[in-house]
Amino acid sequence: MSWLLLILSLPTENATVRMRAWRAIKTLGAASLRDGVYLLPAHPDHLDKLEAIAHDVRESGGIAHVLATDGSEAQDFSALFDRSDDYEALHLAIAELRAMLLPESVMDVIKETRKLRKRLTRLSQIDFFPGAVRDRVDRALQELETDANRVLSPDEPLPASGIIHVLDPADYQSRLWATRRRPWVDRLASAWLIKQFIDPQAHFVWLNSPDDCPNNALGFDFDGATFTHVAEKVTFETLLASFDLRHVALQRIGELVHYLDVGGYQPPEASGVEYILMGLRETLNDDDQLLLAANQVFDSLYTAYNKGE
């Protein structure tokens, strides 16, 4: 394996440059061979970033060199990048947070799980030799995210199995659509998707219980519904697949909804969207009004994602 070496002699009189270099090296996950000598696996992105650090140091009066080793002769330094202790600390934090998971504290737990997910994402980015411990921590965090969402929304559907068949939207026009009352992210986003891209004349009914679903209604996001969680897909993603909606902006909204509903990869804007929807849900007691307000959020996301393509 090939490696990159960053060799530094920092100017003693410039504390700002020293701190900036140290933070950049730490962010990259570089290992220290000795004072002023840092190591990373060879990768074009790593080379660019090490060169940027070296340039900054030289511009500030220090000495800096970036060297590459020959992979055929290089020593194996992988043990220097063992992140096991960091993962164990995360696993302990997950266990402590799980012990706090109660109905009255669920929102605080969800906020903390978001922070743990960010920590795990950052750690994974500098885990150049991942092992079983990373998968174990990721599973534990996913289970906590799922359980917290179930406490927040007790009737959250269990994933169904089976194949998602592509349907013709023409067969689903001017229909009555039913889901559980007090909708949260997946139900709100799914209702927006239905109205905007599947059935523009859709009408919605909010159920006290899935058992109350009218016979003529298309249920979504509850156990036994026409459209619900399938395998790893949340209801929004099931609807995308069912009606062959492949637009990139919709797929990105799907990633965001998936994260906010069951966890996993966290889009950068997820926390902001969650806080907005949380505020709407706390403010608006009428579910029709809540959907109207949430529609503006998803309309804005769709527009922003389209512009960002």
Side-chain angles (χ1 to χ4, degrees), residues 162-215:
I163 299 172
I164 299 175
H165 298 284
V166 176
L167 305 172
D168 185 352
D171 297 330
Y172 293 83
Q173 298 304 300
S174 300
R175 299 293 296 272
L176 180 66
W177 298 75
T179 192
R180 294 167 291 139
R181 64 181 297 275
R182 301 311 295 150
W184 185 225
V185 179
D186 196 12
R187 280 166 283 159
L188 289 170
S190 294
W192 169 81
L193 183 71
I194 290 165
K195 191 79 171 178
Q196 292 294 324
F197 296 94
I198 299 170
D199 180 6
Q201 302 303 317
H203 294 279
F204 296 98
V205 59
W206 312 103
L207 308 172
N208 288 319
S209 166
D211 294 335
D212 299 331
C213 185
N215 292 332

Side-chain angles (χ1 to χ4, degrees), residues 113-129:
T113 60
R114 303 292 189 241
K115 296 177 183 178
L116 293 181
R117 176 58 66 182
K118 288 182 180 179
R119 280 178 58 185
L120 179 57
T121 298
R122 287 195 295 266
L123 181 56
S124 297
Q125 289 170 344
I126 60 170
D127 185 10
F128 308 120
F129 305 95

Side-chain angles (χ1 to χ4, degrees), residues 101 106 109-110 113 143-153:
L101 184 55
V106 63
V109 170
I110 288 175
T113 60
E143 290 170 1
L144 177 59
E145 290 167 334
T146 299
D147 291 346
N149 280 308
R150 290 197 184 284
V151 172
L152 178 65
S153 186

Side-chain angles (χ1 to χ4, degrees), residues 6 8 49-59 64-66:
L6 174 64
L8 299 177
K49 290 177 179 177
L50 290 179
E51 290 284 10
I53 296 171
H55 176 76
D56 185 41
V57 170
R58 288 193 292 266
E59 287 290 302
H65 303 282
V66 178

Side-chain angles (χ1 to χ4, degrees), residues 215-253:
N215 292 332
N216 64 331
L218 294 168
F220 64 98
D221 203 48
F222 58 83
D223 287 330
T226 306
F227 302 99
T228 188
H229 292 208
V230 176
E232 296 182 354
K233 295 182 184 296
V234 299
T235 300
F236 185 92
E237 294 170 307
T238 297
L239 286 164
L240 289 180
S242 296
F243 292 96
D244 201 26
L245 299 170
R246 303 184 185 183
H247 197 287
V248 173
L250 293 178
Q251 297 296 324
R252 290 187 63 182
I253 293 175

